[in-house]
Amino acid sequence: MSSRIVIFGAGGRAGRHAVAEAVSRGHQVTAVVRDVAKYGDLAGDGVSVVAGDVTRADSVAEVAAGHDAAISAAGRLDVPADEFYVSAAHALLDGLGRVGVGRLVLIGIGTTLEVAPGVAVHETPGFPEEGLAFSLGHAAELDVLRAAETEISWLVLAPPPVFLDAEAPRTGHYRIGGNQVLPATEGETTFPYADLAVALIDEIETPKHHRSLTAVAA
């Protein structure tokens, strides 16, 4: 059954793969970017490109009206991570709630997954200082989602804390479940964005995980 999916951050690597996966399954996609002029190549059969700001509830509501589900692949490096992801979480819940979009799947980061009960990857000894603020921003976003009184069924999908490969082919296979880093398979050093997109769209089509941080891996 075809759905209308609004994808925030559609111009990035994760967003582009999510758009491609959704369209390949026959869904109608609204690709939300900050500057339409820069991402005209996204437009095509099944895809309309619109300008929007994922950190403003009014903008979220405007572009999301009439859609069945939303994906957030949005990120910015020119804004402090805690400021951006917290603002985006509030705006998404508010804006989507106004227009009745009941499913939201966000792309998280593997460093917020746990390596032991109550211990995130970014809390382990020797975690790179340069990556800490970005990971804590994602953790703050998750705190907002968990604390929210909302009817929206949200899900944060976190790929493994390995290199995410934008060029690797889609296999269509992945493991999913829990908020801990999934044990690596033999030789696993990367994870394809294409397979992350498969997991995203699967959770739109057949929601199985709700209101949680959930790990996905090869």
Side-chain angles (χ1 to χ4, degrees):
M1 180 178 173
S2 176
S3 297
R4 294 195 68 201
I5 305 171
V6 57
I7 300 180
F8 296 89
R13 287 169 293 185
R16 286 177 177 275
H17 280 88
V19 170
E21 181 68 22
V23 171
S24 75
R25 301 195 198 185
H27 300 298
Q28 296 293 311
V29 173
T30 298
V32 185
V33 296
R34 282 189 291 155
D35 185 351
V36 172
K38 291 183 178 180
Y39 300 102
D41 62 303
L42 282 170
D45 290 343
V47 184
S48 58
V49 183
V50 302
D53 184 347
V54 73
T55 65
R56 290 182 47 246
D58 288 347
S59 180
V60 170
E62 181 179 356
V63 299
H67 290 76
D68 303 298
I71 289 172
S72 180
R76 290 184 66 171
L77 298 179
D78 60 336
V79 176
D82 56 347
E83 178 184 324
F84 174 79
Y85 287 106
V86 166
S87 295
H90 282 297
L92 284 164
L93 292 176
D94 185 351
L96 296 177
R98 292 183 201 177
V99 294
V101 177
R103 181 62 166 169
L104 167 63
V105 183
L106 308 95
I107 297 177
I109 188 171
T111 51
T112 61
L113 294 169
E114 295 184 352
V115 292
V119 181
V121 172
H122 65 231
E123 295 172 324
T124 57
F127 185 82
E129 183 68 28
E130 63 270 19
L132 185 57
F134 189 68
S135 189
L136 289 174
H138 276 276
E141 173 187 61
L142 187 59
D143 287 341
V144 171
L145 295 167
R146 285 173 169 162
E149 294 184 6
T150 178
E151 294 183 358
I152 294 172
S153 174
W154 58 266
L155 169 67
V156 177
L157 274 186
V162 299
F163 175 71
L164 298 181
D165 194 336
E167 306 300 326
R170 176 190 188 277
T171 71
H173 300 292
Y174 61 88
R175 292 173 293 144
I176 188 170
N179 67 347
Q180 292 196 358
V181 176
L182 294 171
T185 57
E186 185 175 354
E188 179 189 357
T189 58
T190 66
F191 184 64
Y193 273 109
D195 286 341
L196 176 59
V198 174
L200 285 168
I201 305 305
D202 282 353
E203 283 289 342
I204 294 293
E205 292 182 342
T206 309
K208 294 181 179 179
H209 300 85
H210 304 272
R211 304 188 183 212
S212 64
L213 169 66
T214 298
V216 60

